[in-house]
């Protein structure tokens, strides 16, 4: 294979700190760069490539759809929207769906639903309860709901109307609800992704459902990163046996095709009416076909059970390999959404893992994040650990900065 030079990015806005690699193509859970190196994909495009790369059933379906219709507009009836919405409501137990293009857009729509829900009840200054460690997007509204001062810096004034409390602290939630009569919704990630793979405890989710029912608040669960089978159930909150009122989705729903969705339960399903919200690209035929095929393949190939089982293998291999390492704070997460928190910055592992033939992420400065495709095999899970563990050990063997 001839090595291609890396393209110049002189005319690309420098909004990303990119690694020195350009990917050429992929197959399954493996990708190749333009230099011909084969790399194991432990990141899945940040929880996007549910079915891996070049899936033998997804690709022909998308090719067929491209030859029919890519985009029309929401002026017209959309049978594919109806089909995907029906499936999402079936697997979630909720009522209806708004389609958009990304997790940010899904979260924006959720925030609008929360405000409109309040206004419809005579609350002219609705507030939303959010949590420390949260990440909901980079638009001005979702940035305001997010809890990262670094990404908020330089973009003030932020949107008002957010009350923030610690995650998994029900006493803090109840105190905030009592102190803020204008609260209209509680908004959180079922498992915080960018914040460091921080799971919301089952009993906390159940308590939030109770509080929302008692106070007529919307429970809005951001499942953009942790949803669509990643934890071993269709949606991470299902481990707690509850249903949200509003559930933003994106990332893995389209296996690489941009898609977002807001799935609403009965209390929120009628909040937005004609003219209240909209999108040009959202719900286009290509994205809808990608969503339909993704969910169908996941169901027929048993990928929820695979995520749970292979995730357990991966977590076990990491725990065994890192046993006794004092610098490992915690290995946490669920299914194929795992984080390894270290006692020091871990950014150097990005390039080191690349050199070792592995794609990973580091988030919250010290957390190694793994979000591989849901088609990952047990052998590939063990291979991720085999490549990653020595790098972590070598980093921890150095003096702590």
């Amino acid at each position: 294979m001839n090595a291609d030079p890396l393209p110049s990015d002189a005319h690309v806005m420098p909004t990303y700190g990119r690694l020195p690699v350009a990917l050429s193509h992929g197959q399954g859970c493996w990708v190749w760069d333009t230099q011909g190196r084969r790399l194991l994909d432990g990141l899945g495009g940040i929880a996007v490539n549910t079915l891996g790369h070049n899936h033998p059933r997804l690709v022909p379906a998308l090719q067929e759809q491209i030859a029919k219709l890519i985009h029309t507009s929401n002026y017209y009836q959309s049978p594919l929207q109806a089909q995907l919405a029906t499936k999402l409501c079936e697997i979630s137990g909720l009522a209806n769906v708004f389609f958009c293009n990304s997790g940010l857009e899904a979260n924006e729509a959720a925030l609008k639903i929360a405000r409109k829900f309040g206004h419809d009840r005579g609350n002219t200054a609705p507030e939303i309860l959010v949590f420390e460690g949260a990440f909901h997007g980079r638009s001005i509204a979702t940035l305001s709901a997010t809890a990262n001062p670094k990404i908020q810096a330089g973009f003030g004034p932020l949107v008002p109307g957010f009350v923030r409390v610690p995650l998994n602290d029900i006493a803090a939630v109840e105190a905030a609800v009592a102190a803020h009569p204008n609260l209209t919704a509680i908004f959180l990630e079922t498992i915080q992704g960018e914040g460091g793979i921080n799971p919301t405890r089952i009993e906390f989710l159940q308590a939030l459902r109770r509080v929302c029912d008692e106070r007529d608040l919307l429970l809005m669960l951001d499942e953009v990163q942790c949803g669509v089978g990643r934890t071993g159930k269709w949606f991470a909150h299902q481990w707690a046996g509850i249903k949200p009122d509003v559930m933003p989705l994106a990332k893995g729903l389209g296996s690489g095709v941009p898609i977002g969705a807001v799935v609403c339960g009965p209390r929120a399903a009628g909040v937005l009416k004609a003219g209240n919200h909209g999108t040009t690209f959202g719900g286009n035929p290509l994205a809808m076909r990608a969503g339909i095929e993704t969910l169908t393949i996941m169901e027929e190939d048993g990928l929820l059970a695979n995520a749970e089982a292979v995730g357990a293998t991966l977590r076990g291999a990491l725990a065994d390999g890192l046993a006794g390492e004092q610098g490992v704070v915690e290995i946490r997460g669920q299914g194929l959404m795992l984080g390894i928190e270290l006692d020091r910055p871990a950014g150097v592992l990005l390039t080191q893992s690349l050199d070792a033939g592995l794609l990973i992420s580091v988030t919250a400065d010290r957390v190694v994040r793994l979000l591989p495709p849901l088609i990952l095999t047990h052998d590939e899970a063990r291979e991720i650990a085999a490549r990653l563990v020595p790098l972590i050990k070598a980093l921890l063997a150095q003096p702590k900065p």
Side-chain angles (χ1 to χ4, degrees):
M1 184 181 213
N2 294 327
D4 297 325
L6 291 177
S8 169
D9 60 359
H11 297 290
V12 177
M13 195 172 291
T15 53
Y16 303 101
R18 300 185 193 270
L19 294 169
V21 64
L23 302 179
S24 167
H25 61 285
Q27 183 64 53
C29 292
W30 298 83
V31 293
W32 283 258
D33 71 4
T34 53
Q35 309 303 307
R37 292 185 301 168
R38 182 173 179 252
L39 305 107
L40 181 52
D41 188 357
L43 187 58
I46 316 180
V48 167
N49 295 314
T50 299
L51 304 178
H53 305 275
N54 194 29
H55 192 279
R57 290 168 59 191
L58 178 67
V59 170
L62 296 184
Q63 290 171 329
E64 178 188 68
Q65 187 59 49
I66 287 171
K68 290 181 176 180
L69 282 173
I70 296 174
H71 176 78
T72 55
S73 87
N74 284 303
Y75 283 155
Y76 315 112
Q77 297 290 324
S78 175
L80 291 176
Q81 279 191 30
Q83 185 178 345
L84 182 54
T86 297
K87 185 61 179 178
L88 286 171
C89 290
E90 174 191 316
I91 62 179
S92 67
L94 301 181
N96 65 11
V97 185
F98 171 80
F99 290 110
C100 49
N101 305 287
S102 67
L104 180 153
E105 289 185 28
N107 284 332
E108 281 272 354
L111 296 176
K112 288 184 69 175
I113 289 170
R115 287 194 167 191
K116 182 71 161 49
F117 182 81
H119 278 273
D120 289 347
R121 283 158 171 73
N123 181 353
T124 58
E127 295 180 308
I128 300 169
L129 190 69
V130 292
F131 292 84
E132 294 175 4
F135 181 90
H136 297 292
R138 295 177 184 269
S139 67
I140 294 299
T142 57
L143 190 68
S144 302
T146 289
N148 189 332
K150 291 182 181 179
I151 66 170
Q152 290 175 336
F155 297 104
L158 299 176
V159 174
F162 294 100
V163 177
R164 196 175 309 281
V165 298
L167 188 68
N168 290 318
D169 186 341
I170 192 60
V173 170
E174 290 175 337
V177 170
H180 294 270
N182 283 343
L183 280 175
T184 189
I186 297 177
F187 186 37
L188 70 157
E189 299 155 276
T190 314
I191 301 176
Q192 291 182 342
E194 302 297 323
I197 313 298
N198 303 312
T200 304
R201 292 199 298 265
I202 285 177
E203 60 272 21
F204 185 70
L205 285 170
Q206 294 168 339
L208 292 181
R209 181 68 276 175
R210 173 181 54 77
V211 168
C212 288
D213 289 341
E214 292 173 352
R215 301 299 186 99
D216 193 29
L217 307 176
L218 293 179
L219 179 58
M220 308 200 305
L221 296 180
D222 177 347
E223 295 248 1
V224 167
Q225 190 168 134
C226 63
V228 195
R230 183 144 294 276
T231 67
K233 289 190 182 291
W234 283 115
F235 310 109
H237 68 264
Q238 290 174 330
W239 291 101
I242 64 166
K243 293 179 183 179
D245 299 301
V246 180
M247 178 176 63
L249 301 173
K251 289 191 181 287
L253 182 56
S255 295
V257 176
I259 185 172
V262 185
V263 190
C264 289
R267 294 177 69 234
V271 171
L272 294 183
K273 297 176 173 61
N276 288 155
H277 198 50
T279 169
T280 296
F281 290 103
N284 71 68
L286 180 62
M288 296 300 94
R289 185 70 182 273
I292 292 165
E293 297 295 335
T294 296
L295 296 182
T296 300
I297 293 167
M298 288 178 65
E299 197 164 47
E300 293 179 355
D301 290 359
L303 294 189
L304 274 67
N306 190 70
E308 184 178 9
V310 176
T313 293
L314 177 55
R315 185 169 185 159
L318 292 168
D320 290 345
L322 295 170
E325 292 291 331
Q326 297 301 309
V328 177
V329 176
E330 187 180 15
I331 300 173
R332 57 179 177 260
Q334 195 164 11
L336 288 173
M337 183 176 187
L338 297 176
I340 309 160
E341 183 178 353
L342 306 181
D343 67 353
R344 65 198 66 193
V348 66
L349 293 175
L350 288 171
T351 52
Q352 291 177 353
S353 65
L354 195 63
D355 292 339
L358 176 65
L359 303 183
I360 64 166
S361 170
V362 172
T363 192
D365 191 42
R366 305 187 308 173
V367 180
V368 179
R369 178 173 52 167
L370 297 172
L371 300 161
L374 301 193
I375 62 169
L376 192 76
T377 66
H378 291 279
D379 285 344
E380 288 168 337
R382 286 185 279 266
E383 185 62 27
I384 288 175
R387 297 185 184 208
L388 181 58
V389 164
L391 303 179
I392 293 176
K393 285 185 172 182
L395 175 62
L396 297 178
Q398 299 173 16
K400 186 176 178 181

